[in-house]
């Protein structure tokens, strides 16, 4: 039997490598195993040398490995196979390529094998499947809970309206209480709607389409600000990207800038450019009062906060699921905030050459009472 030291160069390889010699009885026995494999196995070299796989590994593990070794010995053809082996007391999955070495007469004299540990990859795949399953179940539960909450909220609003009709005009105290109850019911309904939108947008996937960015921004503003007090400036670029995702993200950000900017007349600027290869970069700045700390945690750290609503979390997840990024910050010098996000796509027209398009919009909103702005 050839000494282990004859194969010292195999110790330079960062993967399990072994050599099998065909003994006088025709059995493939271990003649060498490199240091990497020994470290992983946690066993001494004496456990391997001169022994067959079925003598080294217990039960079906050893029988299966030995069968592969004999198959290559008999066929003289290189073979790749996958099997589980107990390593350091735990079963691990390996993919092994076994190559025969032939003498001048075409007889197999030894086999050289190199293995790859597939266990980390398999564990990652299993974890991903489990995560996706749990995420789907969570979304289904949230959607069902949200639907169930809508009915009692509508009933509360209806009962409050009936009670209001029965109260005398001079009963100011009770009327104010009913108004408070109606506001709570309305706010709860808004929250329920946000939850359902979160479930819907999380699963939204559409192919790329070609469209004009300024037109999309104007369509969104026409819905959010039909009376045109606020000023929105956008790049006049032609894009190829997922239009639905772009619309959801922009609509969310523009709407909340207008609702929570705490200014009668907001100024919003939206720019788009080609960022990293294959990615569009959109930047939205405004002159509002900036983000709350809870909103920044959601936007920058993906930390869900009930105080910031479900919309931030949904849009962040929607963009991240498509390989994009989203960052937000408050402007350091003047009041205002900036959001920058990326999505897969291409800018088919240079925005700087096309110029910008402005649209004055007026919602007629008043400064809000909240201390910070959020995207909902």
């Amino acid at each position: 039997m050839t000494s282990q030291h004859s194969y010292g160069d195999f110790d330079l390889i960062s993967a399990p490598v072994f050599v099998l010699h065909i003994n006088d009885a025709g059995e493939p026995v271990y003649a060498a195993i490199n240091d990497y494999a020994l470290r992983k196995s946690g066993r001494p070299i004496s456990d391997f040398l001169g022994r067959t796989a079925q003598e080294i590994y217990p039960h079906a593990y050893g029988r299966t490995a030995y069968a592969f070794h004999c198959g290559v010995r008999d066929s003289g053809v290189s073979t790749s196979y996958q099997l589980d082996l107990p390593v350091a007391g735990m079963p691990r999955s390996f993919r092994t390529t076994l190559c025969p070495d032939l003498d001048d007469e075409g007889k197999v004299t030894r086999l050289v094998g190199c293995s790859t540990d597939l266990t980390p990859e398999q564990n990652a795949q299993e974890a991903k499947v489990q995560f996706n399953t749990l995420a789907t179940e969570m979304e289904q539960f949230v959607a069902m809970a949200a639907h169930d909450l809508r009915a009692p909220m509508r009933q509360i609003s209806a009962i409050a309206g009936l009670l209001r009709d029965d109260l005398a005009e001079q009963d100011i105290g009770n009327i104010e209480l009913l108004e408070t109850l109606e506001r709570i019911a309305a706010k709860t309904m808004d929250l329920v709607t946000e939850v359902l939108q979160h479930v819907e947008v999380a699963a939204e996937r559409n192919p790329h389409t070609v469209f004009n960015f300024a037109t999309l921004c104007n369509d969104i503003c026409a819905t959010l600000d039909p009376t045109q007090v606020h000023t929105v400036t956008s790049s006049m670029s032609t894009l190829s990207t997922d239009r639905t995702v772009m619309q959801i993200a922009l609509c969310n950000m523009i709407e909340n800038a207008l609702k929570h900017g705490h200014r009668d007349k907001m100024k919003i600027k939206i720019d788009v450019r080609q960022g990293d290869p294959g990615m569009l970069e959109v930047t939205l700045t405004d002159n509002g009062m900036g983000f709350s700390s809870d909103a920044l945690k959601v936007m920058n750290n993906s930390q869900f906060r009930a105080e910031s609503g479900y919309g931030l979390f949904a849009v962040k997840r929607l963009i991240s699921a498509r390989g994009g990024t989203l960052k937000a910050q408050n402007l350091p010098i003047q009041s205002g905030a900036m959001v920058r996000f990326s999505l897969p796509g291409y800018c088919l027209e240079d925005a700087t050459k096309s110029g910008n398009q402005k649209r004055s919009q007026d919602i007629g909103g008043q400064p809000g009472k909240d201390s910070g702005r959020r995207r909902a």
Side-chain angles (χ1 to χ4, degrees), residues 8 26 29 46 85 95 129 147 186 196 212 229 255 260 283 302 311 314 323 333 364:
V29 297
S46 58
L85 290 175
R95 179 185 293 116
V129 170
H147 280 293
L196 294 174
N212 183 272
V229 165
E255 179 182 15
H260 304 287
T283 303
S302 297
I333 300 176

Side-chain angles (χ1 to χ4, degrees), residues 92-341:
R92 300 184 73 86
S93 183
F94 291 91
R95 179 185 293 116
T96 299
T97 299
L98 196 58
C99 301
D101 191 5
L102 310 179
D103 60 16
D104 294 338
E105 297 177 358
K107 182 179 178 181
V108 176
T109 58
R110 64 180 176 181
L111 308 172
V112 179
C114 184
S115 302
T116 301
D117 189 350
L118 303 177
T119 308
E121 178 183 345
Q122 292 180 342
N123 290 342
Q125 291 176 345
E126 292 174 2
K128 182 179 180 181
V129 170
Q130 292 176 357
F131 173 80
N132 290 339
T133 300
L134 291 173
T136 300
E137 292 175 352
M138 181 184 69
E139 289 174 358
Q140 291 174 346
F141 172 79
V142 169
M144 292 174 60
H147 280 293
D148 291 343
L149 283 172
R150 276 185 161 180
M153 287 303 103
R154 291 194 185 99
Q155 292 172 359
I156 291 174
S157 296
I159 292 172
L162 292 173
L163 291 175
R164 181 201 293 271
D165 294 338
D166 292 338
L167 290 176
E169 292 184 1
Q170 61 270 23
D171 197 353
I172 298 176
N174 286 331
I175 291 176
E176 290 178 349
L177 289 175
L178 284 177
E179 290 176 346
T180 301
L181 181 63
E182 288 177 327
R183 285 196 298 270
I184 293 172
K187 188 172 183 60
T188 304
M189 281 296 293
D190 289 341
L191 180 60
V192 170
T193 300
E194 290 175 0
V195 172
L196 294 174
Q197 288 176 346
H198 161 65
V199 175
E200 292 171 359
V201 301
E204 190 70 46
R205 287 187 180 274
N206 286 320
H208 286 200
T209 55
V210 177
F211 60 93
N212 183 272
F213 184 72
T215 301
L216 176 65
C217 293
N218 275 346
D219 290 342
I220 294 172
C221 293
T223 301
L224 299 177
D225 185 13
T227 52
Q228 303 184 16
V229 165
H230 303 284
T231 300
V232 178
T233 304
S234 58
S235 302
M236 295 180 62
S237 298
T238 300
L239 307 180
S240 173
T241 186
D242 190 328
R243 188 182 189 279
T244 301
V245 175
M246 181 70 77
Q247 179 175 338
I248 291 171
L250 287 174
C251 184
N252 182 282
M253 295 172 189
I254 295 173
E255 179 182 15
N256 284 271
L258 298 178
K259 287 172 61 177
H260 304 287
H262 307 293
R263 291 188 183 276
D264 293 332
K265 295 185 178 182
M266 292 286 296
K267 292 182 179 180
I268 301 173
K269 183 180 179 182
I270 313 171
D271 294 318
V272 62
R273 68 179 186 87
Q274 192 71 52
D276 293 334
M279 300 295 291
L280 291 171
E281 185 177 280
V282 180
T283 303
L284 185 147
T285 56
D286 65 54
N287 66 336
M289 300 302 293
F291 288 106
S292 67
S293 59
D294 290 325
L296 289 176
K297 288 178 181 178
V298 174
M299 301 284 265
N300 296 328
N301 302 320
S302 297
Q303 296 180 1
F304 175 73
R305 309 284 293 186
E307 296 85 351
S308 68
Y310 285 90
L312 283 176
F313 185 70
V315 171
K316 174 78 172 182
R317 181 180 175 188
L318 183 67
I319 292 173
S320 297
R322 282 146 183 84
T325 59
L326 187 149
K327 292 292 182 181
Q329 66 181 72
N330 292 325
L331 298 180
I333 300 176
Q334 70 237 38
S335 62
M338 180 179 70
V339 181
R340 177 176 289 117
F341 68 91

